[in-house]
Amino acid sequence: MHLTRRSFVAGGAAAIAGVSLFDPDLALAADRTLTIALPNNPSTLDPIQISNHDAMAITNAVFENLLEIDLDGNVVPSLARAMPEISDDQTVFKFDLRDDVVFHDGSPFSAEDVKYSYEYMLDPKNKSVRRSLFAPIQEIVIESPTRIVFKMKSPYRPWFQYMTKFMGIFPKGSREKLGDNGFKTAPVGVGTGPGAFVAWKQNDYVELKRHDKYWRKGVPAWDRLVARIVPEDATRVAYLMTNQAQIISAPPPHEFERLKTVPGIATGSKVAVGGMWFLQTNTKRAPFDDVNFRKAVSCAIDRRKIAREVFYGLMDPSAVPAPTTVSYYNAEADKAVGYDPAKARDYLSRSKYAANAEFELLVPSTPYLFDQSEAAIVIQSQLAEVGIKMKITAMEMPQILSRAMAGTQVASALPLMGPSDPTFIMQICYTADQIMSKSSGWTSAALDDAIKESYKYQDPAHLDPLFQKMQAILAEDCPNVWLGFVGVANAWRAEIKDFVPNTGLTIWTRDVKMS
């Protein structure tokens, strides 16, 4: 499907036509039901296989881990009583576990469940998509039912940040009992989180119920959580306005501006330090096998204009994989590949594709984190001004991700929402044997060394220069075209209390109150 500006805009305007917003299957009496609306359907509910950011709003209500990321981006204890004891060489981590936690099936949580969960995920035969993120774990030792030790092959700072998003604790023996397909489609009884799985109606909704023996007292305040799958922007907004959803994810930017002034509706946004938006270009395929062509594309894009006129400020424009607001942002590297039409034309003239400068860009046909359709049209226009023709092809997000992971795409407009540690996206895209390694087809020994060196440190004095060095290495070869960092936006009914946008998840429901 090849799209023009008119068809993109018309599609959004017509999205609500003919859609019934009422589902009798979910109409209940006066119970405390919290309904959220997400743009994308989960492909799995298995925490060790999860790749869709929207689905994490569901799985992180079901599964928990030793540590989690709070709403301010800090690593804090969860199933662990406190932050771990760490050896001087940063390779041994000792966790004291809570003794008041039970799974949804009523069985008690202990160190055996932690060891079982991690070892199952780390076993290559189980093909966890996130296994590589935890590969530095060498050994897991149980010292008592409430004390467990992780021994690392080498220092590995970021793994705390990966726990909540990419891993969950499940009961010992549950994989053999429930099976991988059970974890994928109906994870009944196997989590410790505030929501216990009830039902999943494909392409429609996922339903959870309150975990009555949840270890955090007084939460959740809801009896039932329903995550409705609503791909159309206009329909999600309609759900909110008619109170058939109390919280919605990814309102379109122009609607977000309008909703700020609507009585009874609250809005909020945060720039996600780990939410990078970029053109994921494949350096193994023409025309992006030419560094001059890659730099021509990068220098042709006016990111600030897109942030201002398309996203209404819901994006921090950056030509390097770092937000402009952080201490380690490398302004010099940004300038090297940032907007400069004269440089873009010069790079293009030096590329081997100067006479036939064109490529296809895959763009999600339904919003993933935010709607990229309007921005794609603007990028298409900006590239045309320097002599580059870009064809836009709309495709479902799972298909785009599959092609990217297989390395079969030429270029795709891809937002990735990871933890706030800046090495995460660099690691998964530009180091060998990671989930997105084939998407760029590019590696660098110098980048690998800098990433590995950063794992030894926790303090900005050591880390900031290393992060800046990584940006300089990437800007020099420009394996991808970085556009900026996503502004996570939500809108919710005024009767919803204690809800704030979360830079780590689309929607965090655990602490929400309903008046």
Side-chain angles (χ1 to χ4, degrees), residues 331-391:
E332 184 177 344
D334 188 316
K335 185 178 180 181
V337 289
Y339 179 58
D340 188 330
K343 283 173 63 175
R345 292 185 180 93
D346 180 57
Y347 279 127
L348 182 60
S349 70
R350 288 189 274 150
S351 80
K352 59 186 179 181
Y353 300 105
N356 188 27
E358 62 179 281
F359 68 94
E360 177 187 40
L361 182 73
L362 305 181
V363 177
S365 54
T366 56
Y368 180 69
L369 305 181
F370 61 95
D371 189 348
Q372 301 177 67
S373 56
E374 189 80 4
I377 300 297
V378 174
I379 291 171
Q380 183 184 55
S381 175
Q382 292 176 350
L383 292 176
E385 290 178 7
V386 302
I388 298 172
K389 181 180 179 181
M390 184 181 83
K391 180 173 65 175

Side-chain angles (χ1 to χ4, degrees), residues 44-47 50 55-64 165 208:
T44 180
L45 299 179
D46 188 340
I50 201 77
M56 291 177 190
I58 302 166
T59 56
N60 281 272
V62 176
F63 297 96
E64 296 177 302
K165 288 182 70 70
L208 309 180

Side-chain angles (χ1 to χ4, degrees), residues 177-252:
K177 179 180 179 181
L178 192 60
D180 287 343
N181 191 59
F183 270 80
K184 178 180 179 179
T185 61
V188 177
V190 291
T192 62
F197 178 83
V198 174
W200 178 8
K201 187 176 180 180
Q202 283 281 350
N203 302 309
D204 194 350
Y205 66 87
V206 178
E207 180 184 353
L208 309 180
K209 66 180 180 180
R210 186 180 191 274
H211 181 15
D212 289 331
K213 295 182 179 180
Y214 187 46
W215 59 274
R216 296 179 193 265
K217 305 308 177 187
V219 293
W222 38 264
D223 295 318
R224 194 174 65 139
L225 174 66
V226 176
R228 298 301 305 256
I229 313 305
V230 187
E232 301 84 3
D233 286 344
T235 310
R236 280 199 310 285
V237 173
Y239 267 81
L240 179 71
M241 299 302 294
T242 58
N243 199 24
Q244 296 198 61
Q246 289 74 56
I247 309 171
I248 66 170
S249 175

